[in-house]
Amino acid sequence: MEELRNAQEIKDFLLQIINDHKNKESILHPFDISKELEALRKLDEESYKFICKKMPSELFAEILCEMPTYIQEEIPSIISDTKIANITSKMDSDDASTLIYNISQIDEEVAENILSKLDKEDQKIIEQLNSYEDYEAGSYMQSELFNVSIDENIGKALKRLKKQKEENILDNIFHAYLIDNNRKFLGAIGLEELILYEHSQKFDEIAKDKITEYSINHKEDISEVVEMFAHYNLSALAVVDDENRLIGRITHDDIHDIIQQQDTKQLYSLAGVNDEAEQEESLYLIGKNRAFWLGINLITAILASIVIGLFDATIQSLVALAVLMPIVASMGGNAGTQTLTVTVRQMALGEISYTDAKKTIYKEVIISLVNGFLFALVIGIIAYFWFKIPLLGLVIAMSMIINLLSAGFFGAVIPIILEKFEIDPAIGSTVILTTVTDVVGFFSFLGLATLILL
């Protein structure tokens, strides 16, 4: 689709989308429409509000799910609570609970008013989903699913599914979830597997064939759910309560979003940036958060400068040291960052834990030591031919080995120790490691120069 150039073109385009939807004609995916709506919001707020008010609730329900949190939070200031309630009623339960929760973070009274306009069943489901903690599996589930009784006829169940699909009660259905008369979860069978059986058969006749028993307790940590999706290539996962009763399901699209959020958070944390703050529109809040970590970095930089100051007489005696110092610090910092990034990522994937830390540290130290000797030889030769001082090449070579060795060791140790104390290894690791490599690099290089060259 060609990029639209101005607010009027976007407005006309969205009006056409609304008209096509009313005429039940084929339209763009909700994600694409949401991006155009966001673009209009930035260019012309009045036109944006006009389109939001004109947007049919059924279509807006699909679009709003694709939009950022801050836009969901502000939606009560644009359209009426009654329309928001109507939009919410047309969402999947997990998306509806997220919308109500986001609105409540800005105005709890408005959120309660919207919730009160929903039918009692929807209210109960949303309140239940929002009662879970962020890390619990139940907060990511949806109540809409296709469950069948173990003694039900397959053909009858499929007719029921067809009716629910025609009435838009269910979508993205991958499995039939088998339950007993007490709603206890028995297993799941893929819909494509049902074509192997006669419609006259009952589910208890096929219960031993093609049935998977994967499920997760509603209080389990969401990280366990992510691992199950990754390990077993799942498209959806049944959620059960403490009595093993089926209460919902988690689908692959939600897990994809969670993985993306985790990766983004980890990447931002390694850079000393808060992922939630970066989603803010306020430049003040973004700048304030970044300034905190820059302040921490300034303190650590001063520590490195203090170390350099201890050897000011040495540097004055041999200017070549000032030329070569950044090389030692840079190589140590890069080597440490490599180790830190690999270690933190493997920890996030569950491949490394505190119990097997010794093996990880040993591996990283060996790799760093090998690289240390390799680049010590290279920089030693370069320094010799550059400044014609044989012992200077020896000094920087020895310093390179020491700094890369410490970079590999601390790059692995720091995140492992932070995790042991239940601190996110991605947060603060970079700042601590940079301080270590700078201090060790400068101290070893200038200290050896003082001992050997002067």
Side-chain angles (χ1 to χ4, degrees), residues 14-22 51 54-56 59:
L14 290 172
L15 286 173
Q16 183 60 50
I17 289 290
I18 292 171
N19 187 59
D20 289 344
H21 179 267
K22 289 178 179 178
I51 292 296
K54 291 276 291 182
M55 191 77 68
L59 178 59

Side-chain angles (χ1 to χ4, degrees), residues 4 45 219 245-246 278 400:
L4 302 174
E45 191 170 349
K219 294 290 185 178
R245 290 190 297 258
L246 181 66
E278 290 300 312
M400 186 71 72

Side-chain angles (χ1 to χ4, degrees), residues 303-345:
L303 291 176
S305 297
I306 290 173
V307 172
I308 295 172
L310 296 174
F311 299 95
D312 58 344
T314 303
I315 297 172
Q316 289 175 18
S317 300
L318 193 60
V319 179
L321 297 176
V323 176
L324 296 175
M325 273 197 310
I327 297 176
V328 178
S330 177
M331 289 295 290
N334 285 330
T337 300
Q338 287 176 343
T339 300
L340 178 66
T341 303
V342 171
T343 303
V344 170
R345 186 58 186 156

